Amino acid sequence: MKFWKMNGAGNDFLILNNLEEHLPLEQLPRIAKVLCERHLSIGADGLMVVDAPTKGGDFKMRFFNSDGSMGEMCGNGARCICRYGFETGLTGETQRIETTAGLVTGMRISPRLYRIRLNDPTTIRLDCSVEVDGVRYECAYVELGNPGIPHAVVPYANLRQADHEELRELGRAIRWHSGFPKGANVNFYEITGEDTLYERTFERGVEDFTYACGTGTGSVVAVLTLQGKVSGHGVKVHMAGGELVIDAERIHSQIADLYLTGPTNIVCKGEVTDEELSLNAGE
Ligand SMILES: N[C@H](CCC[C@H](N)C(=O)O)C(=O)O
């Protein structure tokens, strides 16, 4: 089974092409869980599977988190798979990807820089709050697409200086909070300059921080644009794995367009030989 390993600003993925591998769909969650396990297998934040389009796009993208759960969309993953499409000849310099959350269009800016139009916000609740261990945290809640990928947007002062373990415990508590029936990716952010943010995202389905989160940065900038705290044009979001840029077009009290631009890296192309996969293959 051939695979590519890519990352977008350090958010890393395995890509399998089911147009060639013809893997049974019901096995994909287990394949994701086995292959995304760091140390025991290849290791990644998620698995993306290319498949035939059914709604006029170039191809379908199925996304699975490293715990095997299905994600409605993945922004950095979509940027990486757009490059996969261009480099393999599946697409041209623009791409139309059918994701669970809806159609995502992409564009090759340069050999390693890709820009996608994120799914439209279908839910934006600006004035939420969650209580964790007796402390109330203001936050916003966003879903991008339909079905929407859920994000909590949480302001956090002195984020760079935050104790990693404490932040992880808080991220985990908010991720599982009863106020979020679908769960939520938890995006802690701090405004560090004009149209410049620092962000750390505790991801649903990874159950830990990732080096970057594309739909997370889009959700944070959508909220801050509506709140008038950023312009929405060329907003730079610094994360552990690099910089992502978000453009959010505001029309009255709506976000009309949300674009994510950032780097990609084709780390390796290989053959999966993981012997764990062959065990209990029939289960
Ligand atoms: N963990 C997310 C999916 C990946 C999102 C993130 N990696 C991105 O770049 O958008 C979820 O299950 O909701």
Side-chain angles (χ1 to χ4, degrees):
M1 178 161 57
K2 293 189 186 63
F3 79 99
W4 283 30
K5 173 123 195 226
M6 295 186 72
N7 76 69
N11 195 191
D12 62 343
F13 310 101
L14 305 178
I15 298 177
L16 300 177
N17 187 338
N18 228 17
L19 298 170
E20 296 168 2
E21 307 294 344
H22 308 295
L23 299 161
L25 298 186
E26 66 274 8
Q27 290 214 11
L28 296 180
R30 177 174 177 270
I31 291 171
K33 192 167 169 59
V34 170
L35 296 186
C36 289
E37 183 68 41
R38 302 186 193 280
H39 304 300
L40 296 177
S41 190
I42 305 168
D45 292 331
L47 166 70
M48 295 187 287
V49 182
V50 172
D51 219 327
T54 56
K55 298 173 184 167
D58 292 310
F59 56 83
K60 191 186 296 288
M61 162 184 137
R62 289 187 171 88
F63 180 85
F64 300 89
N65 289 298
S66 54
D67 70 353
S69 62
M70 187 274 290
E72 296 85 351
M73 223 294 271
C74 176
N76 288 318
R79 293 191 304 99
C80 288
I81 214 164
C82 281
R83 182 172 180 193
Y84 176 88
F86 176 77
E87 305 273 355
T88 59
L90 271 176
T91 72
E93 299 233 327
T94 60
Q95 302 81 26
R96 293 169 52 80
I97 315 299
E98 295 176 7
T99 79
T100 303
L103 181 72
V104 167
T105 54
M107 187 186 303
R108 180 178 184 270
I109 306 293
S110 69
R112 293 187 59 186
L113 196 65
Y114 277 71
R115 173 183 168 101
I116 60 166
R117 183 182 182 284
L118 289 166
N119 307 99
D120 292 333
T122 44
T123 301
I124 296 189
R125 297 201 310 257
L126 294 180
D127 298 320
C128 295
S129 68
V130 288
E131 185 171 314
V132 175
D133 297 336
V135 178
R136 184 151 291 279
Y137 296 86
E138 67 169 271
C139 68
Y141 177 76
V142 178
E143 289 190 11
L144 301 182
N146 182 19
I149 175 170
H151 284 277
V153 174
V154 186
Y156 197 97
N158 304 314
L159 182 56
R160 281 190 189 279
Q161 292 75 33
D163 175 89
H164 191 78
E165 280 313 310
E166 281 178 22
L167 198 68
R168 182 191 272 127
E169 288 315 306
L170 178 59
R172 182 174 292 121
I174 298 174
R175 174 264 180 272
W176 289 101
H177 197 278
S178 57
F180 304 128
K182 297 171 78 169
N185 298 279
V186 184
N187 303 277
F188 298 107
Y189 76 87
E190 181 179 21
I191 298 175
T192 55
E194 187 178 346
D195 285 344
T196 308
L197 314 177
Y198 178 62
E199 178 184 324
R200 302 225 50 204
T201 302
F202 184 98
E203 282 203 34
R204 178 187 73 162
V206 178
E207 305 309 328
D208 204 341
F209 287 107
T210 55
Y211 272 39
C213 181
T215 51
T217 55
S219 300
V220 171
V221 173
V223 167
L224 295 181
T225 301
L226 291 176
Q227 292 177 334
K229 295 178 179 173
V230 296
S231 72
H233 304 304
V235 180
K236 292 182 176 59
V237 185
H238 296 128
M239 300 193 76
E243 179 184 284
L244 297 174
V245 177
I246 299 289
D247 292 287
E249 192 60 44
R250 173 179 182 169
I251 297 178
H252 305 308
S253 63
Q254 302 283 320
I255 296 295
D257 289 299
L258 204 46
Y259 288 95
L260 164 69
T261 305
T264 61
N265 184 355
I266 303 174
V267 173
C268 74
K269 304 172 185 177
E271 185 75 26
V272 177
T273 59
D274 188 320
E275 292 160 340
E276 275 303 306
L277 273 186
S278 59
L279 294 181
N280 318 318
E283 268 187 7

